[in-house]
Amino acid sequence: SAASAADVVVCLKGGVHQLPVPLALGPQHNHPSGRRVIWRGAALPSAPTTLSAGAPLLRWVRCSHLDPATPPECAGPEWDGVWAHAADDVPHVTRAALPFRQLWVGGLRAPRATARTEAWNLSTTAEGYSARGVVPGLEWAAAELRWPSQVQNWIEPRCAVDRVAGRRVIVSRPCWAALTARKGGPPPAPLLVENLLRPPPAGQ
C-alpha cells in the first residue's frame, strides 16, 4: 500500500510454482516509504515453497545399441542400459534454453555428463590451463570446470569454459578472476569437467 509506513510481507503459497520466465523484480516493487518488502514462503515442512524454472522429464528411453529407436547420443554398446531423454521432448522448453545446467532426481541434484581431467596433466596459465596430455574431443559448448573441495571456503565452485584452442583451456574471465582473487592466485587444476552436451568417450 502506498500509504503504509510498515514493512510489507508478500506470502507465497506452499508447493512448486513453475515459472516460464525468471521472476523479475525492479524499482517498481520497492516500498514507496523506503521500508522493507519481504518475500516469504510457506513455513510448513510438508509444503515448502519453491520457485522453479525446471521442467519435468517424462519420456525417458533406455539405451540399447540393438534397438533402432535408441537416441544417437547413446549409440554404441558401452552405453547399453543408460537412460536418455531427448531435449526436444522436454515440455515448454525451447532450444534457446539448452543445455540444462542441473538435473534433479527425487529432490536430489544428480550428476551430469562428466569427464575427469587427471590424464590431461593440466598446468595453470594466465587465462586458464594448458594440457601436457591429450585433451579429448569433448563437446565443449557450455561445459564447466568443477573444483570439488579444492578452493578454500568454496565447497564446489564451477567456471564455464570459454573455449579450447589446441591444448589450451580458456576459462570464462569473470569466474576466473573471482577464483583467482579468492585463492590469492590461480586455483589448482580442476578434477572434473561437467555439463558436456554428449557423454564423454569410453574411459573418460
Side-chain angles (χ1 to χ4, degrees), residues 47-204:
T49 301
T50 302
L51 302 180
S52 173
L57 305 182
L58 305 174
R59 298 181 181 179
W60 291 93
V61 176
R62 192 166 189 172
C63 297
S64 170
H65 73 286
L66 300 176
D67 185 353
T70 291
E73 288 79 6
C74 58
E78 65 268 28
W79 299 109
D80 284 1
V82 174
W83 288 91
H85 194 291
D88 291 333
D89 287 337
V90 181
H92 313 301
V93 172
T94 65
R95 281 275 171 177
L98 302 177
F100 301 112
R101 295 192 66 247
Q102 297 183 15
L103 176 65
W104 291 76
V105 179
L108 300 176
R109 188 169 179 170
R112 302 169 294 176
T114 302
R116 299 187 67 88
T117 65
E118 290 97 329
W120 306 355
N121 293 319
L122 296 175
S123 58
T124 305
T125 67
E127 58 189 2
Y129 299 95
S130 176
R132 293 188 291 273
V134 176
V135 177
L138 304 176
E139 291 279 353
W140 286 101
E144 297 177 353
L145 305 180
R146 176 181 160 201
W147 292 262
S149 303
Q150 292 179 268
V151 179
Q152 185 177 3
N153 297 328
W154 282 6
I155 297 174
E156 289 195 359
R158 292 172 169 85
C159 279
V161 174
D162 183 71
R163 65 189 185 281
V164 172
R167 296 193 178 196
R168 294 161 51 226
V169 180
I170 294 92
V171 183
S172 170
R173 297 312 303 166
C175 192
W176 183 250
L179 271 178
T180 300
R182 174 61 65 96
K183 281 286 294 181
L191 291 180
L192 303 172
V193 178
E194 288 193 341
N195 208 26
L196 303 171
L197 297 189
R198 294 179 183 272
Q204 286 288 334

Side-chain angles (χ1 to χ4, degrees), residues 21-35:
V21 296
L23 178 65
L25 300 177
Q28 68 273 24
H29 300 102
N30 290 341
H31 196 292
S33 301
R35 303 289 295 182

